[in-house]
Amino acid sequence: MNILPLSRSVVVIGSALILSACSGLNIDSVGDRVDYKNNKSVNSLEVPPDLNAPDYDPTYATIPGGSVSAAALARGEAQQGNAVVLPTNAAIQLMREGNVRWLQVNAPAEAVWPKLHEFWRAMGVAVKRDEPRVGIMETDWAENKAEIPLDFIRKTIGKALEGMYDAGSRDRFKIRLERPAAQATNIYLSHERAEESVSGTGVKWQYAPARPELEAEMLNRLMVFLQGGNATANAQPVAESKLTAVQVAMTQLEGGQPGLVVGGAANDVWIRTGVMLGRIGMSIEGQQRANGVYLASYDGDNKDNKQGFFSRLLKSDKDMLKVGGKYQVQISDAGNRSLITVGDADGSPLKPAVATELLERLKSEFER
């Protein structure tokens, strides 16, 4: 938790005391684990002009043919006049594979997509990336106010001091849709986290481990919302069962290229890898399920002052992955095991050190 500079605090406290004398105390109690409602809306993400439209597998395209504007999607309307509405009785299941969960919805992706916009709006989280043709949606970084401790001052003064406090962390969520059948949609959600780090050179933002339990909670809230419930109501903590660690190991392939061997069928590993890429700072740009290939870019902002306080989030002298670089991640069937390899945007081999770093990050997620 961080508190803003003292000069501002004195002014705020003085104003708060005057207000409290007039209208009584306003006790602020955060009784839930998620509270993003006070985040400011942001403009849509501007894609740099040198980035091409992402490649995608039409089998898993969210809205085939034509186009639907983001504004129309936010209203739950399609420009073509035949909007698909999510049935109120649509069957929804929370699925699980290892430490990865997803929702399986008995409804077409065209009906699910606008409901995702409504969900994030209800949660108070701005959508930053909106690509229905490839089924990819990403939120902006958001502060979870529920992580700010409810100390004596906050209990006494109430909401007048909200502006003084900062959780010292930010969350971002990524959603990817797949269409396993014409009337079915799988919703995968990844969480990213960044935290303030204080050192002798000042304060900077750094990536922190993602929280699968927060993914589970948000999926639970999304399921409630899709079923017509209140997404922001106090939710019961998601029960975490002990998992059997999956067998995973680094290996060296012919020619010296590294690979990651994961126990399990390629289909199961595909599902888990897609979520884990989001956790380790990768954004999926396209997917070819038939070939087991994800095209992903390494998150970062090359326009230093364009996007605000996260502009330097992933920039480190020790970081060997190129910020904004595109990479192919391939999952191949190897009997009762699967092999994960990585290449550049064209699938050509990476420098072994770069490939090893990316695969080691995936390995850590499989071992959690």
Side-chain angles (χ1 to χ4, degrees), residues 66-355:
S67 63
V68 178
S69 71
L73 283 170
R75 295 192 304 268
E77 302 169 354
Q79 288 180 332
Q80 297 167 335
N82 296 318
V84 181
V85 180
L86 184 70
T88 56
N89 60 346
I92 304 175
Q93 290 181 287
L94 181 61
M95 313 296 289
R96 181 169 181 168
E97 175 65 36
N99 66 347
V100 167
R101 298 170 177 81
W102 70 97
L103 293 182
Q104 188 175 83
V105 184
N106 187 25
E110 294 89 340
V112 173
W113 191 260
K115 298 298 291 185
L116 298 177
H117 276 274
E118 293 177 20
F119 170 74
W120 291 121
R121 187 163 59 247
M123 294 298 299
V125 180
V127 173
K128 191 83 170 179
R129 179 186 176 196
D130 173 20
E131 296 190 32
R133 290 183 66 244
V134 291
I136 302 295
M137 182 181 292
E138 296 181 3
T139 74
D140 195 8
W141 292 99
E143 179 187 9
N144 185 2
K145 295 290 186 178
E147 294 187 1
I148 301 176
L150 189 60
D151 57 20
F152 173 77
I153 296 177
R154 292 187 73 222
K155 287 182 180 179
T156 304
I157 304 301
K159 289 187 177 180
L161 290 184
E162 280 296 318
M164 289 180 54
Y165 290 85
D166 190 285
S169 62
R170 297 293 185 272
D171 297 312
R172 178 165 65 177
F173 300 94
K174 300 177 180 180
I175 281 183
R176 177 175 59 90
L177 302 190
E178 282 191 5
R179 190 201 302 265
Q183 296 298 316
T185 304
N186 288 341
I187 305 175
Y188 302 97
L189 185 147
S190 301
H191 168 248
E192 285 182 284
R193 184 175 178 84
E195 295 178 350
E196 281 184 314
S197 175
V198 181
S199 64
T201 57
V203 178
K204 62 180 180 179
W205 291 94
Q206 293 183 330
Y207 262 117
R211 295 184 174 181
E213 67 274 11
L214 183 54
E215 291 175 355
E217 179 163 345
M218 296 302 281
L219 280 173
N220 184 55
R221 289 172 180 270
L222 177 57
M223 181 169 63
V224 169
F225 182 81
L226 293 177
Q227 293 172 331
N230 183 359
T232 60
N234 287 358
Q236 294 295 325
V238 178
E240 289 290 313
S241 58
K242 292 184 178 180
L243 303 174
T244 302
V246 65
Q247 293 184 340
V248 56
M250 294 291 296
T251 187
Q252 191 173 61
L253 306 176
E254 185 177 352
Q257 283 298 309
L260 185 63
V261 178
V262 183
N267 181 68
D268 297 335
V269 175
W270 165 273
I271 290 172
R272 300 176 70 174
T273 301
V275 174
M276 291 175 181
L277 286 171
R279 292 179 184 171
I280 64 172
M282 308 290 289
S283 286
I284 294 175
E285 303 286 346
Q287 55 187 10
Q288 298 174 2
R289 181 75 179 261
N291 298 322
V293 174
Y294 286 111
L295 177 63
S297 61
Y298 187 44
D299 289 336
D301 181 16
N302 292 319
K303 301 176 181 180
D304 283 346
N305 298 316
K306 190 78 174 179
Q307 299 289 340
F309 65 91
F310 274 98
S311 62
R312 296 181 300 165
L313 183 60
L314 288 170
K315 295 183 179 179
S316 168
D317 293 335
K318 298 180 180 179
D319 199 352
M320 302 180 67
L321 291 171
K322 181 182 177 182
V323 174
K326 292 187 177 182
Y327 303 91
Q328 281 195 20
V329 180
Q330 180 159 18
I331 298 96
S332 304
D333 193 351
N336 60 348
R337 301 180 301 171
S338 299
L339 176 67
I340 303 178
T341 54
V342 294
D344 62 15
D346 299 322
S348 301
L350 293 171
K351 293 181 179 180
V354 178

Side-chain angles (χ1 to χ4, degrees), residues 4-11:
L4 299 184
L6 180 60
S7 58
R8 178 180 172 183
S9 302
V10 172
V11 174

